[in-house]
């Protein structure tokens, strides 16, 4: 079995135009513990020091760190530092991979006399409209090219992923964080968040269960160039429910199934459930975050950061 280890540094900095008198924030920056993902070490450095801090799990099982500030402050810096180990993700069995998509759709439909398995019951939470993902005939019509009658779900979902990769252009200037899915769909452009929301809308519009995955992806610098610190960003992809297997992950931005280069922070119905950071402030004025993410394979860490001792001392609790 193959395994790899990564170091991730995720920096968020707010400079406020006006003093903040009090604020509450929820941080979703701790990677999930999964059969193929092991969280080796994680530090959260927060400046200024919060007045209160606690950790808990949300309804999807994601780890949340809640911080509360009661003193005046004009900036907020959060550095999330982690080491994670990834192993090969499991693949659907030959039997699970052959199940027609209509059978899966029908197995998720409500019926008064039906008893759902725990897996199907969990999946139904990801079958309906959510804050940022509508259900509409236009998405079902688009998906129809992939979801042919009798086609296996795994094959059809793969085809839909590749269709979105083919038809939509990655354009970081085309959308913003809360741009409606309809706008990105009509423009045929956007970023990984938009492509994931569009794919989820298509899957739910044909009656399937799909969830939004949030995390990091290893990017590769141009040939002959060194990796740049802070040049990466958080990433988003999709998982579709496959009975007798679980959740099959698909990355429409890159047209591939996530494996040894995708690090999972968590999942939800859409982006609003799994935002890395959100909060409520008293004061602050206008402010936009400065965000820098660096994902480094273990073998490159020393060349990028030296021995790392001084670097990690800054993050010690």
């Amino acid at each position: 079995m193959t395994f790899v280890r990564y170091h991730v540094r995720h920096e968020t900095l707010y400079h406020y135009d006006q003093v903040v008198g009090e604020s509450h924030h929820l941080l979703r920056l701790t990677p999930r513990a999964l059969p193929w993902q092991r969280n080796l070490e994680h530090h959260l450095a927060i400046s200024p020091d919060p007045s209160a801090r606690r950790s808990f799990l949300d309804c999807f099982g994601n780890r949340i760190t809640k911080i509360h500030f009661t003193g005046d402050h004009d900036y907020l810096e959060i550095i999330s530092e982690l080491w994670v180990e990834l192993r090969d993700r499991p693949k659907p069995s030959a039997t699970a991979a052959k199940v027609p998509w209509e059978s899966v759709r029908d197995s998720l439909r409500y019926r008064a006399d039906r008893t759902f398995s725990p897996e199907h019951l969990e999946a139904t939470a990801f079958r309906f409209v959510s804050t940022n993902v509508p259900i509409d005939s236009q998405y079902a019509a688009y998906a129809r090219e992939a979801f042919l009658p009798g086609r296996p779900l795994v094959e059809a979902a793969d085809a839909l992923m590749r269709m979105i990769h083919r038809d939509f252009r990655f354009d970081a200037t085309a959308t913003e964080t809360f741009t409606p899915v309809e706008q990105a769909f009509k423009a045929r452009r956007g970023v990984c968040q938009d492509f994931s929301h569009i794919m989820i809308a298509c899957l739910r519009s044909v009656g399937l269960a799909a969830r939004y995955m949030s995390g990091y992806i290893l990017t590769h610098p141009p040939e002959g160039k060194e990796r740049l610190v802070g040049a990466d960003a958080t990433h988003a992809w999709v998982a579709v429910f496959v009975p007798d297997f679980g959740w099959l992950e698909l990355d429409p931005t890159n047209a591939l199934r996530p494996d040894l280069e995708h690090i999972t922070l968590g999942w939800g119905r859409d982006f609003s459930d799994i935002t890395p950071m959100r909060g409520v402030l008293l004061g602050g004025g206008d402010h936009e975050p400065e965000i820098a993410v660096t994902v480094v394979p273990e073998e490159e860490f020393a060349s990028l950061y030296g021995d790392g001792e001084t670097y990690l001392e800054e993050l010690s609790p």
Side-chain angles (χ1 to χ4, degrees):
M1 178 178 287
T2 308
F3 76 91
V4 292
R5 290 176 178 168
Y6 296 107
H7 172 268
V8 180
R9 180 180 173 97
H10 182 163
E11 303 172 70
T12 305
L13 175 63
Y14 284 94
H15 283 295
Y16 301 118
D17 287 350
Q18 301 173 17
V19 170
V20 175
E22 183 175 2
S23 65
H24 295 264
H25 303 271
L26 299 178
L27 313 179
R28 293 180 176 87
L29 295 169
T30 304
R32 298 270 313 215
L34 301 166
W36 56 89
Q37 176 172 289
R38 190 156 65 103
N39 187 4
L40 302 175
E41 189 172 357
H42 182 224
H43 299 280
L44 269 177
I46 303 170
S47 180
D49 289 332
S51 307
R53 171 175 172 170
R54 69 183 183 93
S55 180
F56 61 94
L57 298 180
D58 67 11
C59 62
F60 304 109
N62 304 308
R63 175 67 57 183
I64 294 180
T65 301
K66 181 179 180 180
I67 54 177
H68 179 201
F69 296 89
T70 57
D72 289 353
H73 55 287
D74 58 9
Y75 79 99
L76 175 59
E77 182 179 38
I78 298 173
I79 302 175
S80 175
E81 194 94 7
L82 62 96
W83 281 97
V84 66
E85 180 180 279
L86 300 183
R87 297 180 180 271
D88 295 316
R89 281 168 165 79
K91 297 177 175 59
S93 67
T95 301
K98 291 179 181 177
V99 176
W101 72 269
E102 297 99 330
S103 297
V104 180
R105 175 200 62 195
D106 294 345
S107 74
L108 291 167
R109 282 177 171 165
Y110 172 77
R111 197 174 62 217
D113 60 347
R114 169 172 288 170
T115 300
F116 286 98
S117 69
E119 294 77 18
H120 277 73
L121 192 59
E122 178 194 12
T124 57
F126 300 92
R127 197 173 71 83
F128 302 104
V129 171
S130 57
T131 303
N132 293 309
V133 176
I135 290 177
D136 192 274
S137 59
Q138 64 179 325
Y139 305 114
Y142 176 78
R144 198 167 293 136
E145 179 182 331
F147 285 85
L148 302 172
R151 193 175 196 181
L153 168 59
V154 170
E155 183 182 316
D158 263 327
L160 175 62
M161 171 185 72
R162 297 182 190 283
M163 283 171 51
I164 293 172
H165 181 74
R166 176 197 71 195
D167 296 341
F168 290 76
R169 177 183 172 187
F170 189 93
D171 183 352
T173 66
T175 59
E176 298 179 351
T177 301
F178 292 103
T179 295
V181 174
E182 295 91 337
Q183 183 175 324
F185 183 72
K186 289 176 181 177
R188 292 293 196 266
R189 60 182 60 211
V191 295
C192 60
Q193 174 183 310
D194 303 302
F195 300 160
S196 296
H197 280 156
I198 289 167
M199 185 168 180
I200 293 170
C202 290
L203 291 166
R204 291 181 187 168
S205 293
V206 298
L208 299 169
R211 64 191 187 191
Y212 182 98
M213 306 293 296
S214 175
Y216 307 104
I217 185 173
L218 176 69
T219 58
H220 298 274
E223 187 175 352
K225 301 291 185 179
E226 294 184 356
R227 187 176 302 280
L228 297 177
V229 174
D232 296 329
T234 55
H235 191 55
W237 60 99
V238 175
V240 62
F241 176 67
V242 179
D244 299 320
F245 169 70
W247 293 88
L248 178 68
E249 297 178 42
L250 302 156
D251 183 346
T253 305
N254 296 292
L256 52 79
R257 293 188 191 178
D259 195 18
L260 293 174
E261 295 188 347
H262 287 66
I263 300 164
T264 305
L265 280 175
W267 55 72
R269 293 163 299 179
D270 57 42
F271 174 74
S272 64
D273 286 333
I274 192 63
T275 51
M277 179 176 172
R278 69 191 312 168
V280 178
L281 294 77
L282 181 62
D286 292 331
H287 52 274
E288 288 294 332
E290 299 173 28
I291 299 173
V293 176
T294 309
V295 181
V296 185
E298 182 180 38
E299 59 270 18
E300 291 184 29
F301 181 78
S303 63
L304 201 62
Y305 294 117
D307 61 15
E309 290 181 4
T310 303
Y311 175 68
L312 292 174
E313 280 177 5
E314 301 173 2
L315 301 162
S316 298

